[in-house]
Amino acid sequence: QEFATELRTTRDPGEAIMWAVPVEDHKLTVDEVKDALKSLASSRNFLFVGEAQFYKQVEAVTGQKYRHVAFLSFCDVGVGKMMADYRDAYTGFMPCRVSVVEDKSGKLWLYTMNLDMMIHGGKRLPEDLRREALRVRNVIWDMVHGAAKGEF
């Protein structure tokens, strides 16, 4: 329902399927936000599995400075295996990604996919997978909201 309401309001599926969390105004650096995400993930038994520094790729291709846009990937291997065993298409949701984005005005934001469509949007998941998918959803929610405040 949240997805449908947001889609009706914005008419933008990208906006509707993502959570956008503003980082507290100019109190935290990019590195502090990333460190907070990694720390919060670790404390919840999520693996940090990599970072793609998109802004550096843009700079290498264009030769021009670009605002910070990076993608951090996290994974709960056990839940990932459950998802892949249940349906191959669900591997497209993995690993969980959080983008750290400096918007055009210089404000930092965290973006991550709202997993509610996957969890609630169709045929009910098997109960054990549903329970674990909800846990992953809640961990990601806690991570982005905590990191936006600089929690470790």
Side-chain angles (χ1 to χ4, degrees), residues 16-113:
I17 202 164
M18 301 303 286
W19 286 326
V21 180
V23 173
E24 289 193 1
D25 290 330
H26 306 292
K27 293 181 181 177
L28 299 169
T29 67
V30 168
D31 288 336
E32 289 170 334
V33 171
K34 289 179 181 180
D35 287 346
L37 282 167
K38 293 173 191 174
S39 173
L40 292 166
S42 177
S43 71
R44 289 157 174 81
N45 296 318
F46 263 43
L47 296 174
F48 169 65
V49 294
E51 178 179 352
Q53 296 177 331
F54 180 72
Y55 72 101
K56 287 186 178 181
Q57 294 169 340
V58 171
E59 291 173 356
V61 170
T62 66
Q64 298 176 354
K65 191 94 171 123
Y66 193 68
R67 62 194 170 100
H68 192 94
V69 178
F71 315 118
L72 282 72
S73 297
F74 301 91
C75 184
D76 180 310
V77 174
V79 178
K81 180 187 179 310
M82 289 173 74
M83 290 255 200
D85 288 348
Y86 176 67
R87 183 163 292 134
D88 290 342
Y90 279 31
T91 62
F93 290 101
M94 301 184 303
C96 295
R97 286 172 301 282
V98 178
S99 58
V100 179
V101 177
E102 177 186 10
D103 71 15
K104 293 171 186 147
S105 69
K107 179 162 181 52
L108 289 177
W109 289 81
L110 299 175
Y111 290 90
T112 192
M113 186 181 299

